[in-house]
Amino acid sequence: MLACWMTRPIFPNCISNFRTAFCCRAEDQTVSPAEQQQQQKKKVVIVGSGWAGLGAAHHLCKQGFDVTVLEGGYELGPKSKSFTPDDAAIRGFWYPYRNIFNLVDELGVEPFTSWTKSAQYSENGLEVEYPIFKDSPSLPTPFGTLFNTQFVRLPIIDLLTSLPLMAAVIDFDNTDSSWRKYDPITARELFKQFGCSERIFRDVFDPLIQVGLFAPSEQCSAAATLSMLYYFVLANQRNFDSVWCCGTTREKIFLPWKDLLKSQGCRFLEGRRVTDIVLNEETGCVSQVICDKESFKADASIFAVGISTLQEIVQRSAALCAREEFLKVMKLSSTDLLTVKLWLDRKVSIPYASNVSSGFDNACAWTFFDLSTIYDEYKDSTSTIIQADFYHANDLLPLKDEKIVEKVMSWLSTCIKDFENATVIDQEIGRYPKFHTHFFPGSYKYMMRGSTSFPNVYMAGDWIVNRHSSWSQEKSYVSGLEAANRVVDYLEEGVFAKIVPVQDDEPHIQSLRNLNRNLDDVRAQLPWFNYFIQ
């Protein structure tokens, strides 16, 4: 800077309250064309860097926006050499994940195994063997799933008692009205109403519900249950086929994905926990996102975080507390996750790489994986590396590591006898309180939509209400693309992301649903229609 004292101002822009004026003139600072272009870009702030946040950033960077991703750190659990929150959720990638598979192709990475078989265990041993359904005879739903699956202990009469449930599957079409109809009912009540036998519910459906919705069936919404089961199991017999990441999701997908985004100008700022927002009273828009003493200007913002993280943000923000849709989030809840990784002193013969188990000490259902056959880095190991994930693990998190390992080895030995002769030589335990969304009965009315009462603030995540019908990682990623499309629409720049819809219902399901809707229209005209509970 050049400073000069003069008896009277020479430059008209210099202002002084004194008889002698103090004037400043900046030296000529040339701004590069690239910097000018960056300054002119519309700014988008994304809170969260999971599937939803990265999905939104991925599309918005391609449209030329100035994107900043705020990462809150590891407040959901301790960072360890093997675990991060990115990898501690559902691990499989199912056949209908067409948007994620397209993304992986675009990234040019090959992170997945081939299609794999899986199994289901109880305290009595092996209960179910799931084949690779795309290699099995193709049958219309639900017969392809029921008759190609190998039920080791289940009598045929119990299997047949599940067929009446198709009436609820047909009635539930993922519309807002069907969610409101079935959401107040528990999953267990639903199966009871449609006459499922106790055995097929206890040994087959209940464990699938618990590992799919992360809570006991008596604490799960019937609407979420129908939506999840239809997407993963019943819509098409191939939908239950899955592949697995050959390493952690973070290493195989997220790191190369972030590297690509950084090369496109995206900024990732770690350890930024959002504490408030700045509201422009004239426009009603959010102009800045605040992280403690830092502020980030935003022409649009996307919150792509889980329920517990958003609840913390709402509690800290006076602006968000003033909005009803954000206050409703405080009524939602999350469940705890415990993940246990064990190194054993010998090779254990495990028939299937991925498994569901239930019925031990009244604990919620859990999954265990043979990482020795899934992860590339362990293929040549002389030991066996097992990972077990326990959902709704509220009662397990307080236990000492030694007690947890003892329980896990006891339960594994009940499932597969070879574990009895193995000894644990190393262990790693990750505790993630309030990690998974709890779709409890009646929760739907508190869930948020993709748009908010702020014109330039949008939501994304696996718990956000949309009509795409997908679940888990696929829903998170799709909701991120939907949020990006809302930003494109609001700022009137760029093109919309192409989202692959879920596969159409099979023809007989479409016909039955059309018939059911017509009957509902007729019933709605009856004078006593609104008299009874719907």
Side-chain angles (χ1 to χ4, degrees):
M1 303 293 289
L2 296 178
C4 55
W5 284 91
M6 303 179 182
T7 56
R8 58 190 175 90
I10 295 176
F11 302 103
N13 290 335
C14 292
I15 301 174
S16 177
N17 292 326
F18 304 96
R19 182 173 296 177
T20 56
F22 175 72
C23 290
C24 295
R25 181 177 64 188
E27 293 180 349
D28 183 23
Q29 296 181 355
T30 303
V31 180
S32 68
E35 290 175 326
Q36 289 179 343
Q37 184 181 10
Q38 186 70 17
Q39 292 172 0
Q40 293 171 356
K41 288 182 177 181
K42 297 289 180 65
K43 299 181 182 298
V44 181
V45 173
I46 299 174
V47 184
S49 59
W51 284 103
L54 293 182
H58 183 74
H59 183 69
L60 293 174
C61 283
K62 291 194 294 185
Q63 305 314 306
F65 293 99
D66 180 1
V67 179
T68 300
V69 178
L70 305 178
E71 300 182 285
Y74 292 90
E75 64 269 21
L76 290 177
K79 184 179 180 180
S80 67
K81 62 184 179 182
S82 298
F83 300 139
T84 70
D86 299 330
D87 303 307
I90 290 182
R91 298 180 177 277
F93 293 80
W94 271 260
Y95 181 84
Y97 283 17
R98 293 191 286 175
N99 289 283
I100 286 182
F101 291 142
N102 285 348
L103 167 70
V104 168
D105 291 340
E106 183 181 344
L107 295 178
V109 296
E110 297 180 356
F112 298 131
T113 65
S114 58
W115 300 104
T116 61
K117 297 180 179 180
S118 58
Q120 197 165 314
Y121 292 87
S122 73
E123 57 189 356
N124 296 316
L126 181 64
E127 294 288 348
V128 186
E129 294 177 301
Y130 296 102
I132 300 175
F133 286 97
K134 71 182 187 66
D135 297 334
S136 303
S138 182
L139 297 172
T141 188
F143 301 107
T145 303
L146 292 178
F147 295 130
N148 288 319
T149 301
Q150 301 300 311
F151 296 95
V152 177
R153 304 172 186 274
L154 192 71
I156 185 66
I157 186 64
D158 291 272
L159 184 64
L160 294 177
T161 63
S162 67
L163 292 178
L165 185 67
M166 284 303 297
V169 171
I170 291 166
D171 190 40
F172 182 86
D173 57 2
N174 204 50
T175 59
D176 181 73
S177 60
S178 63
W179 269 90
R180 294 185 182 278
K181 177 179 179 180
Y182 284 95
D183 189 59
I185 308 170
T186 71
R188 183 175 182 84
E189 288 173 330
L190 175 73
F191 281 81
K192 181 179 178 180
Q193 287 178 10
F194 285 88
C196 277
S197 74
E198 175 66 25
R199 187 165 181 176
I200 191 174
F201 179 75
R202 181 190 66 236
D203 295 340
V204 180
F205 286 116
D206 194 27
L208 290 178
I209 294 169
Q210 292 182 39
V211 300
L213 297 180
F214 320 117
S217 57
E218 61 270 18
Q219 298 180 30
C220 292
S221 153
T225 300
L226 288 170
S227 181
M228 183 271 295
L229 287 179
Y230 188 71
Y231 180 71
F232 284 121
V233 182
L234 297 174
N236 186 292
Q237 70 179 51
R238 293 185 177 186
N239 282 17
F240 201 67
D241 287 341
S242 60
V243 295
W244 306 89
C245 215
C246 295
T248 65
T249 304
R250 182 178 182 81
E251 172 194 5
K252 295 292 186 178
I253 300 177
F254 279 22
L255 288 181
W257 195 3
K258 286 184 177 181
D259 288 341
L260 173 64
L261 293 176
K262 289 175 183 177
S263 71
Q264 296 173 344
C266 183
R267 291 193 303 162
F268 289 89
L269 302 179
E270 296 182 356
R272 266 63 169 195
R273 301 181 68 179
V274 175
T275 53
D276 208 347
I277 59 174
V278 175
L279 182 63
N280 185 320
E281 297 293 346
E282 294 183 2
T283 64
C285 295
V286 172
S287 59
Q288 296 180 61
V289 176
I290 308 298
C291 296
D292 293 321
K293 296 180 180 180
E294 290 183 280
S295 65
F296 301 90
K297 292 183 178 180
D299 296 295
S301 303
I302 297 172
F303 284 84
V305 295
I307 287 172
S308 59
T309 302
L310 184 60
Q311 287 173 336
E312 292 178 5
I313 295 173
V314 171
Q315 287 176 328
R316 293 191 290 259
S317 171
L320 295 181
C321 283
R323 301 299 172 109
E324 183 181 0
E325 77 246 64
F326 286 94
L327 284 178
K328 284 183 177 180
V329 173
M330 304 306 294
K331 293 182 178 291
L332 297 174
S333 64
S334 307
T335 65
D336 298 344
L337 170 70
L338 174 73
T339 185
V340 180
K341 191 173 182 179
L342 302 176
W343 284 259
L344 308 180
D345 65 343
R346 66 191 65 199
K347 283 290 186 181
V348 175
S349 178
I350 305 172
Y352 301 101
S354 61
N355 307 274
V356 174
S357 188
S358 64
F360 296 89
D361 298 344
N362 294 317
C364 195
W366 49 287
T367 53
F368 65 94
F369 308 92
D370 180 8
L371 300 188
S372 306
T373 60
I374 297 176
Y375 280 16
D376 290 339
E377 63 177 301
Y378 299 140
K379 290 291 177 66
D380 299 325
S381 175
T382 57
S383 63
T384 299
I385 298 92
I386 293 293
Q387 181 142 337
D389 294 335
F390 296 85
Y391 313 105
H392 200 263
N394 314 50
D395 57 334
L396 298 177
L397 260 59
L399 299 179
K400 299 290 185 181
D401 288 359
E402 295 76 13
K403 185 63 176 178
I404 291 174
V405 172
E406 179 185 335
K407 279 181 173 289
V408 173
M409 286 301 294
S410 173
W411 295 347
L412 287 171
S413 299
T414 302
C415 296
I416 300 173
K417 294 299 181 182
D418 279 2
F419 278 103
E420 293 178 349
N421 301 319
T423 302
V424 177
I425 57 176
D426 197 4
Q427 66 197 48
E428 191 169 353
I429 297 176
R431 294 173 173 85
Y432 300 95
K434 298 182 179 180
F435 185 80
H436 284 127
T437 302
H438 184 193
F439 296 92
F440 61 85
S443 60
Y444 178 76
K445 58 180 173 290
Y446 306 124
M447 299 284 182
M448 294 191 70
R449 274 56 178 169
S451 297
T452 71
S453 57
F454 300 106
N456 66 336
V457 175
Y458 308 100
M459 307 299 300
D462 67 349
W463 61 280
I464 301 301
V465 173
N466 69 2
R467 302 273 80 93
H468 188 264
S469 300
S470 52
W471 274 87
S472 196
Q473 306 103 312
E474 176 81 351
K475 182 177 180 180
S476 290
Y477 177 58
V478 167
S479 70
L481 296 181
E482 291 175 337
N485 285 345
R486 291 184 172 98
V487 171
V488 168
D489 185 48
Y490 173 74
L491 297 178
E492 298 181 338
E493 292 184 16
V495 298
F496 294 129
K498 294 182 179 179
I499 299 174
V500 182
V502 296
Q503 188 175 355
D504 290 338
D505 295 330
E506 293 182 358
H508 67 292
I509 298 297
Q510 292 184 30
S511 299
L512 289 171
R513 281 184 168 167
N514 288 333
L515 175 61
N516 185 64
R517 291 188 190 104
N518 292 335
L519 292 174
D520 284 343
D521 290 340
V522 172
R523 285 195 293 266
Q525 305 303 316
L526 299 176
W528 59 82
F529 177 74
N530 290 324
Y531 184 77
F532 299 100
I533 295 177
Q534 300 300 311

